[in-house]
Amino acid sequence: MKVKCLGFSITNENENINTADVFAKFITSSERVHHGTDQSRQILMKDDGDFYSGLVLTYRNQKKNCKSKIENGKFQLKVEDLTGDEKLVSFNFFSLKKSNLKGLFMYHHGSCPISGLFNNLQTMSNEHIREKNKLEIEQLGTKPKQKHIKAVNKKYNKRLEFNILVTKKDVQSILSEFKKINSAVFKLNYMDFKGGPMTAVESFAKTTDIVFNIEPAERSKVGILSQRLADVYKNVTQIAKAKVIAVDHSNQERIVNFMNCPTFFDEYDYDFIAGHVDGLTNDNYTTNAVLDIIKEQILNGKNK
């Protein structure tokens, strides 16, 4: 299993909101556990010199763990009971540079998706902003005028934005960097007007997938394929989604989404990363070797 590094950014374009105060809120909220039906999640963050560094822990609400082994071509399952306060957990490390609020988030299958991090940080930042908004209205006095309240609320309308870093290259340039292109799928929107009168427009909206399966002998002809796929993407209207399955020069298969294509950063073997987390605690995670790997990518990586 691979651990992928996703680039992300946090943007604050509201001069009435102090970014450092928001991050102070994130840090003081590190002890909070967000409870769900099937799992609970904790987002830890610390001031880490030139960085803000963090760890996402997702605790599974289960007391049994299922393992398997293959012997003489047959599988055998073994179920273990977790004891005491033990919980199954997945982890994500992340770090972002203070100077530009851009960073990297490590993700592997079954761990917290980056959208989960964004949602929780957005909730906490909104809490901080609402508290600041409320305090400023209270300072207007016991019977403030409605126009003054509206003016205060307007100051805090614009909130922080959380985004995945995407490449600015055109489709052909993106695809030409790969070793092979295996296939492509274009999802098209179209209108089917077979409905009767007074039928909602939404019922006419249809989608269809156009799949390009490329012969193995042709897949390494990246120059020609990238040009043709770029031409299709440019000239065909009503494309809702478009993706390509490609292979990079490390022989890793990649899914390339034409729309908001994420920047590709390094990836690692899960066993290599997991080997560094034994004994990890609230107190020592910022000195962990995994965060050193992330910071090195941010400072000196090819996509810095």
Side-chain angles (χ1 to χ4, degrees):
M1 182 164 66
K2 294 296 182 180
V3 178
K4 299 181 179 181
C5 290
L6 301 175
F8 72 101
S9 67
I10 300 176
T11 306
N12 176 18
E13 296 183 351
N14 190 335
E15 61 183 13
N16 300 299
I17 300 170
N18 186 296
T19 302
D21 289 345
V22 176
F23 275 85
K25 170 74 173 182
F26 294 158
I27 292 168
T28 58
S29 299
S30 291
E31 298 300 318
R32 185 190 301 185
V33 178
H34 307 267
H35 295 283
T37 303
D38 298 322
Q39 62 190 24
S40 301
R41 183 164 288 150
Q42 185 174 7
I43 299 175
L44 301 95
M45 189 184 295
K46 287 186 179 179
D47 188 317
D48 190 16
D50 293 331
F51 297 86
Y52 290 111
S53 295
L55 175 68
V56 181
L57 297 173
T58 303
Y59 308 104
R60 311 296 177 191
N61 294 340
Q62 63 188 80
K63 297 302 293 182
K64 294 184 182 291
N65 185 32
C66 189
K67 302 192 298 185
S68 71
K69 67 176 182 179
I70 305 295
E71 198 170 284
N72 298 322
K74 296 182 179 181
F75 71 85
Q76 181 179 0
L77 299 185
K78 181 180 180 181
V79 177
E80 297 178 332
D81 289 320
L82 303 180
T83 61
D85 293 329
E86 288 182 336
K87 286 184 178 292
L88 294 179
V89 63
S90 61
F91 59 87
N92 309 80
F93 287 90
F94 66 92
S95 190
L96 66 162
K97 201 173 180 182
K98 288 180 180 177
S99 60
N100 58 13
L101 295 185
K102 292 181 180 179
L104 291 178
F105 175 85
M106 279 190 167
Y107 168 79
H108 61 271
H109 179 72
S111 67
C112 175
I114 195 167
S115 59
L117 174 69
F118 288 173
N119 289 340
N120 282 280
L121 293 182
Q122 185 79 70
T123 295
M124 288 185 280
S125 66
N126 286 345
E127 287 176 1
H128 168 76
I129 294 166
R130 283 195 294 268
E131 290 167 4
K132 188 175 174 65
N133 192 346
K134 180 182 177 182
L135 179 61
E136 193 163 328
I137 290 175
E138 289 174 352
Q139 291 172 347
L140 294 175
T142 55
K143 293 183 179 181
K145 293 183 178 180
Q146 194 63 31
K147 66 176 183 179
H148 293 156
I149 295 175
K150 288 182 178 179
V152 172
N153 290 337
K154 185 177 180 180
K155 286 172 59 177
Y156 298 105
N157 276 343
K158 192 169 183 61
R159 305 294 174 90
L160 272 66
E161 294 183 1
F162 302 83
N163 294 293
I164 295 175
L165 296 182
V166 297
T167 182
K168 302 300 183 183
K169 297 179 181 178
D170 60 61
V171 171
Q172 185 177 356
S173 298
I174 295 170
L175 296 180
S176 64
E177 294 181 355
F178 287 92
K179 183 179 179 180
K180 294 180 181 179
I181 297 175
N182 292 346
S183 63
V185 179
F186 293 88
K187 184 180 289 291
L188 305 182
N189 287 335
Y190 68 96
M191 301 299 287
D192 180 359
F193 289 105
K194 294 181 180 179
M198 304 300 291
T199 305
V201 173
E202 286 82 359
S203 65
F204 296 133
K206 307 292 182 181
T207 62
T208 189
D209 289 344
I210 298 177
V211 180
F212 295 88
N213 289 314
I214 300 167
E215 293 293 330
E218 303 295 315
R219 292 174 181 177
S220 59
K221 298 177 181 179
V222 174
I224 296 173
L225 292 172
S226 60
Q227 177 65 64
R228 289 178 179 173
L229 290 172
D231 288 344
V232 172
Y233 182 65
K234 180 180 178 181
N235 296 319
V236 176
T237 59
Q238 307 302 323
I239 292 179
K241 292 183 180 179
K243 69 178 182 181
V244 165
I245 308 298
V247 177
D248 65 19
H249 290 276
S250 298
N251 292 317
Q252 298 293 327
E253 191 172 85
R254 302 279 196 175
I255 297 176
V256 184
N257 292 298
F258 286 6
M259 300 170 180
N260 294 328
C261 177
T263 302
F264 294 123
F265 293 91
D266 288 345
E267 57 184 38
Y268 304 89
D269 227 28
Y270 173 80
D271 292 341
F272 169 74
I273 298 297
H276 290 291
V277 304
D278 189 42
L280 197 70
T281 70
N282 303 57
D283 301 318
N284 67 16
Y285 73 88
T286 54
T287 59
N288 190 273
V290 178
L291 281 175
D292 292 335
I293 293 171
I294 293 176
K295 292 173 191 174
E296 172 63 21
Q297 274 205 65
I298 292 173
L299 293 173
N300 302 309
K302 62 183 180 181
N303 290 308
K304 65 179 181 177

